[in-house]
Amino acid sequence: MAIKPIEPGWAAILLTAALPLSSAHAQQEAPHEAALRAAIHPVTTLAEARAWLARVPVTRDFPPDFDGVMRGQAPLFVIEMSTAPGCIACADLWAKLLALRARYGWQARTLNAQEAMLRSGRLGLPWVGNPVVWVRAVADPNRMVPVAIGTDHSANLARNSYLAAKMLTGVRVAVGVRAMSKFTGIVSLVR
């Protein structure tokens, strides 16, 4: 059964839904601009990144088939992320992806900035810099799901990767997106 790519704009909607819209200014802001503001939390040190992560809920509930799916689906998927030299959030996230690879056997690779921007544009994601993490089918480079914008907790990355694998193998996208952890949007300042 062929799976359609994720509908454009779902991540912007997800990010916008996470915003508290209490001020009149925020309510008048266009949804795309609001999503960008919500997604960008620049950090210059690892301590700042950890401070932002301390505000992010950690996934505690995992489906009963989680370990089996993560290990069993490992040959079918690859995790790819954008990165940049000196990017603090990228280094933090890469370490977590390497731990995920060691535990479940998933491949982990980096993307160049041009490929990351093309992917973001194809799915209607706001480009927020580095890092952005994607899970894609090994056999089909056009089937992918973004699982993190900025660094995140290891548990959230694992669960989002599990959900991406489920979406890429037949679970309705709307179900998977509702279950995903919110994107943290932590980025390093571009120098």
Side-chain angles (χ1 to χ4, degrees), residues 93-116:
L93 186 58
W94 184 249
K96 292 171 183 173
L97 291 179
L98 291 179
L100 190 138
R101 180 178 73 178
R103 183 169 183 175
Y104 299 110
W106 285 49
Q107 298 176 54
R109 297 182 187 150
T110 58
L111 296 171
N112 64 43
Q114 182 177 0
E115 177 63 21

Side-chain angles (χ1 to χ4, degrees), residues 87-144:
C87 172
I88 293 161
C90 299
D92 181 63
L93 186 58
W94 184 249
K96 292 171 183 173
L97 291 179
L98 291 179
L100 190 138
R101 180 178 73 178
R103 183 169 183 175
Y104 299 110
W106 285 49
Q107 298 176 54
R109 297 182 187 150
T110 58
L111 296 171
N112 64 43
Q114 182 177 0
E115 177 63 21
M117 281 192 290
L118 286 173
R119 286 183 182 191
S120 294
R122 251 188 274 156
L123 295 180
L125 287 171
W127 175 249
V128 296
N130 292 299
V132 177
V133 179
W134 308 83
V135 168
R136 76 164 175 86
V138 170
D140 187 352
N142 295 318
R143 292 181 52 217
M144 67 200 91

Side-chain angles (χ1 to χ4, degrees), residues 50-70:
R50 287 187 184 130
W52 272 106
L53 273 177
R55 301 173 181 195
V56 176
V58 179
T59 299
R60 305 241 182 259
D61 298 320
F62 292 88
D65 68 340
F66 180 82
D67 280 329
V69 167
M70 289 297 286

